[in-house]
């Protein structure tokens, strides 16, 4: 009987063949990361939510500060909203931290503060979907559930030379089902993290993957056919809506004006520099300031800046407006914050990053 061509083996066999070399590679090559030093589900949960938003290196200081400030689920459940948003400042997707607090409150109410230990219970917590539940349950409790994130979608799409759109829920679901069958008993956490790690440091998203360093390059269909760079297939998202805004830094000698954003919608509940729609000319800024009861002593044009949200882009210009006695003269309800208060208390999203330096003087 002819030996079947190695790369024509069914997907499921290929996945099974991947397991051992992948785990051996992981033991040798895994990075020493703060959230890999224990298996406390609260710690894993915090790290996984943060890692969904930004790079490993950027997460490290956020992770350390978060757990120092809120060392237990009980602390998270009871934290004031501004403290949470300040701890999350710069990470984006602020609803995620609000959802984490709701989930922490559920854990306090329904499980007496002890993190639940079944997949279904973990999945039922606010803001925890299949990926996060799979990551927590596999890493903390060795439950054999997959954790399919963007890294894993890329690695498996290449290994199997799967060319369906990875943005489709059905594609992710199929991958979860196929992976669940090969997760080894007692090594679920390492298996999931190994796949993520391979995607992060070898089977990388931008530029050529480092196939020579890959433990499964011998069985990878994309590698055999040279299709690594075409995979995974990811359909382009809809173009973002562009909004022009003018950011206004009103300051007197002591304070800067900021406002709290509405409780619903984009950047809900965070703080912002006053800003208006459109790109205002200097004389329009002076006029607008007057409507707030503020007569400008000096107006200075600042640089332009762009901030990209998931569905919107802000194209901003800015002005610094020097006024006399902000608090006394301003007719609109605002907060007049001192430099230290801006740093310690009020969460200002990264959208305003370019203008944060003007608070310093
Ligand atoms: N990205 C998502 N989860 C991760 C983890 N546990 N370690 C490193 N990178 C990750």
């Amino acid at each position: 009987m002819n030996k079947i061509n190695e790369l024509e083996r069914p997907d499921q066999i290929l996945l099974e063949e991947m397991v051992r070399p992948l785990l051996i590679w992981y033991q040798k090559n895994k990075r020493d990361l703060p959230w890999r030093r224990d298996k406390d589900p609260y710690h894993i949960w915090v790290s996984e939510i943060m890692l969904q938003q930004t790079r490993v290196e950027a997460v490290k200081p956020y992770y350390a500060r978060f757990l120092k400030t809120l060392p237990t689920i009980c602390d998270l459940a009871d934290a004031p909203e501004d403290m949470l948003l300040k701890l999350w400042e710069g990470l984006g997707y602020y609803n995620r931290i609000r959802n984490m607090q709701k989930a922490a409150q559920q854990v306090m109410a329904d499980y007496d503060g002890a993190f639940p230990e079944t997949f279904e219970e973990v999945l039922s917590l606010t803001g925890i979907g299949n990926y996060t539940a799979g990551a927590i349950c596999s890493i903390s409790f060795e439950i054999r559930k997959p954790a399919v994130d963007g890294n894993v979608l890329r690695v498996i799409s290449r290994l199997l030379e799967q060319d369906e759109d990875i943005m489709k829920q059905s594609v992710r679901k199929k991958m979860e089902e196929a992976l669940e069958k090969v997760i080894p008993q007692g090594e679920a956490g390492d298996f999931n993290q190994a796949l993520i790690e391979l995607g992060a440091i070898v089977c990388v998203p931008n530029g050529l993957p480092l196939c020579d360093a890959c433990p499964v390059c011998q069985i990878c269909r994309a590698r055999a056919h040279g299709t690594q760079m075409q995979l995974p297939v990811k359909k382009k998202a809809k173009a973002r809506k562009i909004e022009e805004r003018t950011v206004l830094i009103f300051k007197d000698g002591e304070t800067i004006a900021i406002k709290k954003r509405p409780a619903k919608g984009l950047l809900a509940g965070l703080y912002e520099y006053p800003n208006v729609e459109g790109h205002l000319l200097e004389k329009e800024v002076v006029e607008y300031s007057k409507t707030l009861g503020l007569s400008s002593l000096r107006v200075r044009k600042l640089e332009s800046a762009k901030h990209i949200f998931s569905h919107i882009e802000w194209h901003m210009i800015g002005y610094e407006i020097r006024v006399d006695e902000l608090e006394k003269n301003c007719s609109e309800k605002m907060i007049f914050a001192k430099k230290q208060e801006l740093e310690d208390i009020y969460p200002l999203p990264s959208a305003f990053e370019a203008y944060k330096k003007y608070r310093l003087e």
Side-chain angles (χ1 to χ4, degrees):
M1 199 168 69
N2 282 342
K3 188 167 171 258
I4 319 175
N5 178 332
E6 294 212 330
L7 297 158
E8 285 174 12
R9 287 187 298 251
D11 289 358
Q12 209 58 39
I13 305 266
L14 220 53
L15 291 180
E16 276 168 21
E17 288 182 358
M18 165 190 76
V19 175
R20 209 36 59 195
L22 177 70
L23 281 164
I24 293 168
W25 171 86
Y26 181 64
Q27 289 315 328
K28 276 206 206 113
N29 294 283
K30 66 181 167 196
R31 290 169 293 180
D32 175 26
L33 301 173
W35 46 92
R36 290 187 179 156
R37 293 181 193 151
D38 68 73
K39 293 184 185 297
D40 182 318
Y42 176 52
H43 298 174
I44 304 299
W45 178 32
V46 171
S47 71
E48 288 298 340
I49 299 291
M50 289 183 174
L51 285 160
Q52 283 166 37
Q53 312 192 182
T54 187
R55 297 166 303 108
V56 162
E57 283 311 312
V59 165
K60 287 179 182 174
Y62 279 99
Y63 177 77
R65 186 180 63 163
F66 193 96
L67 291 181
K68 190 161 173 238
T69 315
L70 303 173
T72 66
I73 293 185
C74 180
D75 297 319
L76 171 58
D78 292 342
E81 181 172 76
D82 273 3
M83 178 197 269
L84 287 183
L85 294 172
K86 193 72 192 165
L87 287 167
W88 216 254
E89 183 184 61
L91 278 174
Y93 296 99
Y94 295 88
N95 273 340
R96 290 192 178 155
I97 183 58
R98 290 180 220 272
N99 284 338
M100 282 187 77
Q101 181 167 55
K102 283 190 198 138
Q105 290 162 350
Q106 283 170 276
V107 172
M108 295 311 295
D110 300 345
Y111 304 101
D112 215 9
F115 206 90
E117 297 191 10
T118 71
F119 181 77
E120 287 68 27
E121 286 169 319
V122 174
L123 186 63
S124 77
L125 297 172
T126 303
I128 296 192
N130 258 354
Y131 168 76
T132 312
I136 297 169
C137 290
S138 63
I139 297 170
S140 296
F141 313 126
E142 291 301 351
I143 294 174
R144 293 171 58 226
K145 283 285 179 183
V148 174
D149 72 347
N151 290 304
V152 177
L153 284 164
R154 180 171 61 258
V155 169
I156 301 299
S157 295
R158 286 175 175 163
L159 179 76
L160 303 180
E161 212 173 27
Q162 178 299 110
D163 62 2
E164 283 185 277
D165 178 9
I166 57 164
M167 297 306 279
K168 281 193 190 156
Q169 203 45 45
S170 59
V171 170
R172 179 185 294 263
K173 187 155 183 284
K174 215 157 64 178
M175 206 176 283
E176 285 169 348
E177 285 166 1
L179 282 171
E180 188 164 336
K181 294 187 188 129
V182 305
I183 298 175
Q185 184 74 40
E187 295 174 290
D190 277 358
F191 175 77
N192 283 333
Q193 290 195 86
L195 271 179
I196 292 169
E197 194 79 342
L198 191 68
I201 66 181
V202 172
C203 199
V204 291
N206 302 310
L208 275 182
L210 313 173
C211 298
D212 290 341
C214 178
V216 291
C217 69
Q218 296 299 328
I219 58 170
C220 177
R221 292 190 189 130
R223 151 98 162 173
H225 301 141
T227 55
Q228 302 95 314
M229 292 298 280
Q230 281 107 277
L231 294 169
V233 172
K234 193 171 172 179
K235 289 269 156 61
K236 284 260 174 300
K238 258 196 350 212
R240 294 185 201 91
K241 186 171 154 240
I242 291 176
E243 270 184 31
E244 294 188 333
R245 305 204 74 83
T246 302
V247 175
L248 303 167
I249 315 283
F250 289 109
K251 54 171 27 172
D252 57 20
E254 293 263 300
T255 60
I256 275 194
I258 55 170
K259 294 169 72 171
K260 193 170 169 74
R261 288 182 61 87
K264 288 254 144 51
L266 187 71
L267 302 175
L270 283 107
Y271 293 79
E272 64 181 354
Y273 295 124
N275 59 89
V276 292
E277 218 177 315
H279 283 172
L280 267 52
L281 298 170
E282 188 168 324
K283 63 175 195 231
E284 292 171 316
V285 169
V286 172
E287 283 305 308
Y288 178 73
S289 306
K290 280 190 193 146
T291 69
L292 302 176
L294 298 169
S295 59
S296 44
L297 299 177
R298 196 181 73 211
V299 179
R300 178 160 72 107
K301 182 135 194 228
L302 308 174
E303 70 264 49
S304 323
K306 189 151 104 174
H307 187 79
I308 298 177
F309 298 96
S310 45
H311 304 298
I312 301 180
E313 282 180 29
W314 277 1
H315 292 192
M316 294 167 279
I317 61 167
Y319 291 91
E320 182 183 71
I321 306 117
R322 271 274 175 188
V323 300
D324 232 0
E325 297 192 279
L326 248 182
E327 182 154 16
K328 196 166 128 205
N329 294 318
C330 185
S331 59
E332 198 172 305
K333 190 164 168 270
M334 293 201 207
I335 294 155
F336 307 101
K338 296 207 171 74
K339 181 177 163 235
Q340 203 59 42
E341 291 172 332
L342 275 167
E343 264 153 41
D344 298 343
I345 303 172
Y346 299 108
L348 205 70
S350 309
F352 297 100
E353 193 60 42
Y355 302 109
K356 284 188 187 178
K357 56 180 172 284
Y358 298 106
R359 70 165 77 149
L360 306 168
E361 228 163 57

